[in-house]
Amino acid sequence: MKFLQHWRAFGIGAALVLCAAIVAAGVVSNEYFFFAAYVVLQFVVLATAWNILGGYAGYVNFGSGAFFAVGAYTAVALYKALALPLPMLLFMAALMSGALGFAVGVLTLRLRGIFFSIATVAIAVICETVVMNWSYVGGSRGMAVLQPAAFAFASYNRLLFVVMTVIALLATATARYIEQSRIGRGLQAVRDSEIAAEAVGVPTLRLKLLAATVSGALMGLAGAPFALYMSFIEPTSAFSLNYAVSALAMPIIGGTANWVGPVLGAVLLATTQQVVTVTISSELNVLVIGALLVLFVVLAPHGILGLLSRRFRILGAR
């Protein structure tokens, strides 16, 4: 009963957020709001997806940009070839990046620690090299992508803002379910001690493959609308270091032990990035992330949620 009540509260909150996004898309006149809000929501999805494997299972993935870009280029290739509608592009992008996550898991999840992390970097380099030599999607020069006519909204970017809101809610619901299920408890056992987990019968490899697949699929979903949002795509931006660094930094800053942490970290960092871009320079984005990451690792290794829980514990003790 308590489980259903918690999910009912989450469902009501998600519905309110979606309604607010739809209303904002209809009444807010400043078009830049939707550009900025789309980016923030995109990072919410990336951070949440990274945390499923990196936070719950403890397998640090430095190749997030590869899954993001695979989702983006899958959508571009299918849009150019078949002019598929956006829902089909999202589905196929998630399918392809999820399959990549599974394949990478099969190849690398028997590795542990820094060896797994190095392997994910290698996967990202391989994927970028393939795309740079794929002339059908523009290769290294990139390709312009014309946005289709918007329906139900004044502009296509407003539609993409609402779509990314739905994807962000789906990602957080997925992470929340995994965390509270037997899957999450198994992944936590893997993170704490994989040898001990195997000794008590936890199917560690199966759980890690599931986490890698779900994580990859969600990252691909985040990347699928990228070319339509930018009206252009090229490897340097799609495989940007910013995605890999942000996907790792945001959960660490927010807190990796709970599904709320990546959301908090993503909203904080992505909003800060947008403010810095508008007021100072877009070149400082990665610097801002790096500085905040170092600050939190040194002063608050358990992130914002760790600080809050510690604060409330202290107040309760008084």
Side-chain angles (χ1 to χ4, degrees), residues 195-217:
I195 296 175
E198 291 175 350
V200 297
V202 176
T204 57
L205 182 58
R206 192 185 312 166
L207 290 177
K208 290 187 294 183
L209 285 174
L210 176 63
T213 303
V214 173
S215 177

Side-chain angles (χ1 to χ4, degrees), residues 6-61:
H6 286 172
W7 272 104
R8 189 180 299 118
F10 179 87
I12 293 172
L16 290 175
V17 169
L18 180 57
C19 289
I22 294 172
V23 170
V27 301
V28 175
S29 59
N30 186 352
E31 200 69 25
Y32 180 75
F33 168 82
F34 301 104
F35 279 91
Y38 174 93
V39 173
V40 173
L41 291 167
Q42 171 186 273
F43 280 119
V44 168
V45 180
L46 274 175
T48 301
W50 183 93
N51 199 52
I52 291 174
L53 182 63
Y56 294 164
Y59 274 73
V60 178
N61 177 11

